[in-house]
Amino acid sequence: MTFALTFAYFFHAFGRNCAMKLARYALEGEAHYGILAGDDLADRLAGSPFGDGVPTGQMDDLAAARILNPVGSPRIFGLGYNYLAHIEETGRPVPEQPVLFMKPSTSAIGPDEPVLYPPHGENVHFEGELVVVIGKQARHVSEQEALDYVLGYTCGNDVSDRVLQRRESAFGCLLAGKGYDSFAPLGPVIATDIDPMDVRIRTRVNGVERQNSSTSRMHYSVPYIISYLSRYITLLPGDLIMTGTPEGVGPIKIGDVIEVEIDGIGILRNPVVADAGPWQS
């Protein structure tokens, strides 16, 4: 490879066997992408990994940087009721097709950024999830070729206001209960070599494990989800798909610290703080 080749060309030429971790970080007031080289160094990209990124060879010290949400202002697709044990704990029937919703880009935050607890919130829950990062445009792709359109995977937390969610769902919609600002923590990195068919997911609240499961227990697999979505919607580079949460979801409160850990990716940690903004009923 020469530096004349873009990151996207390199990645798609060598496919999913190209194992690396990508971080998006702020350093000296600017945001950059970099390929991790050890725990504290990143080989900075000129551009992004979604098309025009070129490795520069400049090594940045991540100890001096702030790790950001892996994709700036992403489109976020969410999937509900995708683990059989979670479906059972909710008392819902097993869905006959993927249950989909979207979260606004303003819900996306990065590691260590605070989850804002709404002033009107009554029962807000964590949901640890594997998140797919789309690497190239996908439309009408087969299940067999779906993973060829994936750049990598990251950790996610589909924070949900259950009271508002249920009120919306009663009328066949779902937005505000999932889309509150800060309700989509993401990170810390994009890992390109994760096996989405069988990877361990753990969620802890204040150090106490609340979820421990594997993506092998999904009702709809990652390739199926990508293929299904692409039947109806053109998936774009940088799109994120939150693939559903295992059993064990539960409430959070102001002062809690939530950790979502996925093998091969790392730990996404976020504190919960009060949103002091005004609220009018």
Side-chain angles (χ1 to χ4, degrees):
M1 174 187 173
T2 68
F3 289 155
L5 298 179
T6 66
F7 176 89
Y9 179 91
F10 174 82
F11 180 77
H12 293 300
F14 288 88
R16 297 191 299 275
N17 294 325
C18 177
M20 65 183 73
K21 291 182 178 178
L22 295 155
R24 180 171 169 263
Y25 52 93
L27 190 63
E28 297 178 347
E30 295 185 5
H32 305 282
Y33 277 99
I35 303 170
L36 266 59
D39 294 332
D40 297 321
L41 294 176
D43 183 353
R44 184 187 297 187
L45 296 181
S48 85
F50 300 107
D52 59 350
V54 178
T56 64
Q58 177 176 335
M59 305 304 292
D60 287 330
D61 181 3
L62 294 182
R66 179 169 60 91
I67 305 300
L68 304 172
N69 154 30
V71 181
S73 299
R75 296 199 307 179
I76 305 171
F77 299 91
L79 192 70
Y81 310 110
N82 196 35
Y83 284 77
L84 294 176
H86 175 56
I87 297 170
E88 183 178 347
E89 74 178 352
T90 65
R92 298 272 185 167
V94 176
E96 298 180 0
Q97 64 186 45
V99 178
L100 298 167
F101 58 90
M102 292 189 72
K103 294 169 83 86
S105 61
T106 48
S107 67
I109 60 173
D112 299 313
E113 291 188 64
V115 172
L116 303 177
Y117 200 99
H120 53 288
E122 299 177 50
N123 188 22
V124 178
H125 280 204
F126 64 86
E127 295 187 12
E129 307 196 5
L130 177 70
V131 180
V132 178
V133 183
I134 297 297
K136 60 180 180 178
Q137 184 169 309
R139 179 72 163 133
H140 296 304
V141 302
S142 70
E143 195 172 342
Q144 291 70 32
E145 65 184 359
L147 295 186
D148 293 336
Y149 294 81
V150 174
L151 173 64
Y153 307 88
T154 194
C155 304
N157 185 355
D158 177 21
V159 182
S160 306
D161 184 325
R162 295 300 191 210
V163 174
L164 189 52
Q165 175 184 345
R166 287 169 183 147
R167 288 172 180 165
E168 291 182 299
S169 296
F171 291 91
C173 64
L174 184 56
L175 178 61
K178 293 279 192 178
Y180 197 82
D181 282 4
S182 80
F183 270 21
L186 300 159
V189 299
I190 300 170
T192 65
D193 61 338
I194 298 300
D195 177 8
M197 309 297 284
D198 187 12
V199 66
R200 181 66 50 180
I201 303 176
R202 301 173 183 87
T203 306
R204 295 179 291 273
V205 179
N206 302 326
V208 178
E209 186 172 273
R210 303 292 298 275
Q211 292 181 295
N212 187 335
S213 189
S214 168
T215 57
S216 63
R217 300 174 186 172
M218 284 184 178
H219 181 46
Y220 294 109
S221 70
V222 168
Y224 183 87
I225 296 165
I226 295 169
S227 177
Y228 180 85
L229 265 170
S230 77
R231 296 179 201 172
Y232 306 100
I233 299 166
T234 299
L235 297 174
L236 302 175
D239 280 351
L240 304 179
I241 304 173
M242 305 187 84
T243 57
T245 194
E247 72 278 10
V249 301
I252 55 176
K253 63 182 185 302
I254 296 166
D256 285 348
V257 176
I258 313 163
E259 294 177 314
V260 178
E261 180 175 8
I262 299 180
D263 290 351
I265 301 175
I267 299 174
L268 169 65
R269 182 181 296 106
N270 299 92
V272 182
V273 306
D275 186 355
W279 172 254
Q280 296 180 349
S281 60

